[in-house]
Amino acid sequence: MGRRGRWAGAAVLAAVAAWAWFAFSGPDPAARLVWLDHHAFRNDPAATFDPVLGFRLRPSVSLYGFRHNAAGLVGEEIGPKRPGTVRVACLGGSTTLGAGVETDRYAYPALLQAMFDRTTGGVRRVEVLNAGVFGYHSLHTPLRVAELGALAPDVYVIMDGLNDLDAARSVPLATLERARLGRLAGWRRDLGRLAAGEDRLAASRVPGMHDLEAKWALIGYRDNLAQAVSLAEKQGAAVLLVSDPLRLEAPEAGTGGPNAEQARLLAFGRTALPAAAASVAEATGAARLDVQPVFDAALASPASVRRVWSDSLHLTRYGYFLLARQVYLALAAREPAAAALAGAPVLDDARLEAVCPECLAWRPADGSGRPKTTEGAVRAVAVTNLKDSPADAEGWSSFSVAEGGGAGEIVLPVPPTARSLRIYPRIQGPGDVVAVESVAPDGGRTEVFALRKGTDDGIWSPVGEWYRLALPEGADRRIMVRVTGENAQVFHQGPAVLFADP
């Protein structure tokens, strides 16, 4: 081979080496997609695959009680931005979208909109967009700010954290390394782990709480927020960083499994999330709102926890009201929203509560799921003015008011030993009530339970939810279940109406 051939061969090798370097040193697109969609939400009926974001909401559909508009956001359609209107885009995951409630009307951005509309007497001077997507985390946020700039938001409310923590647990360390550092760096680290022992290599390729600090550094929560703030500033938009409310409860002593792991993960987040947000706010001048103290107060009792959280992560309609109230007060005190209110006084607590009375009056169930047995159940001794539905395969049916209206009644004895029982009611509208009364020998009645609602939101309470009854004392007393309203129901299994509370 002559000199010219050797130079040509060297050039080819150099080109191949350069190609290999650029192809394998940069972030691995496949690993990045795993990180962006670590729960494979692209397969959910409400979502569709997106090569940049991993997935996005399917536009122009209505699923699970949530409306998706043509822009792929939650809620009503978005028209042209009116002059003088301040547009607020709320970004985040499922706690922004509104998971945990029956309809997007109870998501915090919708409640925030209602609060601003009440402030200005129904004239929409502040327009709130719900850009939340289940499963989105801080890696999505700068991407969303970049694309939502077309809608010209004046303020971004960014609430990230829960899904970042979940990604730290659910995405393997090796995947995060390839997504953030590149395949070459990932291979080098794999070789180092292999040299240290196959167990370390295997651990890096599976989800879990191991290497949490290393995973958190790769997730880059602070840097992702800082990038989102920088992009917003280039659009001329303000930013409010809001802490994702954490249900911070210590696991019971001696317990393990998912609940204990979740508690440890949230405890880690309690320190990591506010530290990162405070650092970004200090460096960029973005406003910051810490709502955690409000939600810490809700952990005072099991009853208040059930009122605020629908599960270990998501909120109830009352919980979203608490969140919306804090965001409203923070935005109303700052420009540009303060100027858009045109001197209208900021609503006080009483007026804010009047914005969503069904949020304040709503009562959470004590649990859900039907009992496996009727052992210890209390059976009806008399049923008046009630009709029964056909029984299902398990023998369950529901009493409702008979034709002609009025109230129906079920009379039951007071068990001699049980101090609490479970009841399975269901209602739909404000005229529907299922109440339980303690009846004294002289006929006097004391209400011990009632399921009712103050406004007509068109939503049925779920089938299978149960409520705990504290029973009156005295063998000479009776229990009266009163059913009022066209769509009030009490589920029972044969004569068994009240069930044991283990």
Side-chain angles (χ1 to χ4, degrees):
M1 180 182 296
R3 179 179 298 179
R4 182 175 299 177
R6 288 195 295 273
W7 278 109
V12 170
L13 289 174
V16 170
W19 172 84
W21 175 261
F22 284 111
F24 295 104
S25 64
D28 181 355
R32 182 179 171 87
L33 281 175
V34 170
W35 177 11
L36 286 165
D37 188 13
H38 61 276
H39 288 306
F41 280 132
R42 70 188 70 177
N43 300 318
D44 191 284
T48 185
F49 172 73
D50 184 272
V52 175
L53 293 161
F55 68 102
R56 63 169 66 245
L57 293 184
R58 191 179 299 277
S60 302
V61 299
S62 182
L63 293 167
Y64 314 130
F66 284 70
R67 300 163 295 169
H68 301 178
N69 59 36
L73 307 183
V74 173
E76 60 191 26
E77 295 296 335
I78 304 168
K81 183 179 174 183
R82 295 187 297 273
T85 299
V86 168
R87 183 168 273 179
V88 177
C90 299
L91 298 178
S94 53
T95 47
T96 297
L97 176 138
V101 292
E102 308 91 337
T103 169
D104 60 73
R105 287 178 290 172
Y106 296 135
Y108 101 79
L111 298 176
L112 181 63
Q113 181 70 76
M115 291 173 182
F116 277 117
D117 288 349
R118 181 67 63 92
T119 305
T120 55
V123 179
R124 184 155 293 180
R125 296 180 185 144
V126 176
E127 182 184 20
V128 182
L129 309 182
N130 185 344
V133 180
F134 47 83
Y136 271 21
H137 44 69
S138 67
L139 186 63
H140 294 90
T141 300
L143 302 172
R144 292 286 275 167
V145 171
E147 71 174 20
L148 289 173
L151 297 176
D154 301 284
V155 184
Y156 288 98
V157 178
I158 297 174
M159 189 171 71
D160 284 319
L162 278 171
N163 289 324
D164 289 271
L165 293 172
D166 188 57
R169 172 177 56 184
S170 302
V171 182
L173 175 63
T175 301
L176 290 172
E177 288 172 344
R178 284 159 173 74
R180 180 69 83 179
L181 306 176
R183 281 171 281 193
L184 286 178
W187 291 332
R188 285 198 299 270
R189 294 191 176 203
D190 282 348
L191 288 173
R193 282 188 283 261
L194 183 59
E198 292 186 5
D199 289 346
R200 288 193 60 191
L201 179 62
S204 72
R205 295 180 175 179
V206 296
M209 294 283 286
H210 49 271
D211 296 315
L212 185 59
E213 295 282 357
K215 288 182 179 180
W216 190 249
L218 290 166
I219 281 172
Y221 178 75
R222 183 206 176 280
D223 293 339
N224 295 336
L225 291 184
Q227 185 182 0
V229 172
S230 176
L231 289 170
E233 289 176 345
K234 291 176 181 177
Q235 296 173 10
V239 174
L240 175 64
L241 300 174
V242 180
S243 57
D244 225 332
L246 306 181
R247 182 173 169 175
L248 294 160
E249 296 174 289
E252 296 180 8
T255 62
N259 290 337
E261 183 180 88
Q262 180 85 349
R264 293 197 301 273
L265 188 65
L266 295 181
F268 173 84
R270 178 163 199 156
T271 301
L273 296 177
S279 174
V280 172
E282 182 178 0
T284 64
R288 177 173 171 255
L289 172 62
D290 183 8
V291 301
Q292 192 61 46
V294 172
F295 289 89
D296 283 346
L299 297 170
S301 70
S304 60
V305 169
R306 289 195 304 272
R307 191 182 184 202
V308 171
W309 276 279
S310 63
D311 55 31
S312 62
L313 299 175
H314 305 108
L315 304 175
T316 64
R317 63 178 72 175
Y318 178 66
Y320 285 124
F321 167 81
L322 295 178
L323 176 59
R325 180 170 63 182
Q326 296 303 114
V327 176
Y328 164 83
L329 294 172
L331 290 176
R334 294 178 173 85
E335 302 298 342
L341 298 182
V346 175
L347 301 181
D348 57 20
D349 279 351
R351 289 179 178 148
L352 284 169
E353 290 174 358
V355 168
C356 187
E358 61 268 38
C359 293
L360 276 293
W362 175 80
R363 174 173 181 168
D366 292 311
S368 62
R370 292 172 174 174
K372 304 297 184 184
T373 176
T374 59
E375 182 179 353
V378 181
R379 289 160 171 78
V381 297
V383 177
T384 305
N385 198 36
L386 293 173
K387 61 183 178 181
D388 200 5
S389 68
D392 64 16
E394 297 178 347
W396 283 83
S397 57
S398 62
F399 285 128
S400 57
V401 175
E403 301 299 333
E409 295 182 342
I410 308 169
V411 180
L412 306 105
V414 175
T417 56
R419 293 274 55 86
S420 67
L421 292 169
R422 295 179 179 181
I423 186 171
Y424 289 78
R426 191 176 185 227
I427 62 175
Q428 193 263 349
D432 303 326
V433 181
V434 175
V436 179
E437 300 172 339
S438 167
V439 184
D442 62 3
R445 299 187 178 193
T446 302
E447 186 175 276
V448 296
F449 167 82
L451 181 64
R452 54 170 61 95
K453 58 171 63 176
T455 59
D456 188 4
D457 57 10
I459 299 170
W460 280 92
S461 58
V463 174
E465 285 191 340
W466 57 264
Y467 298 80
R468 183 174 288 112
L469 305 178
L471 296 180
E473 295 185 5
D476 53 350
R477 286 180 170 268
R478 294 173 297 152
I479 300 172
M480 181 79 72
V481 179
R482 289 180 57 84
V483 184
T484 308
E486 180 181 1
N487 291 321
Q489 301 173 339
V490 176
F491 283 82
H492 63 101
Q493 190 172 34
V497 176
L498 303 179
F499 296 84
D501 186 29

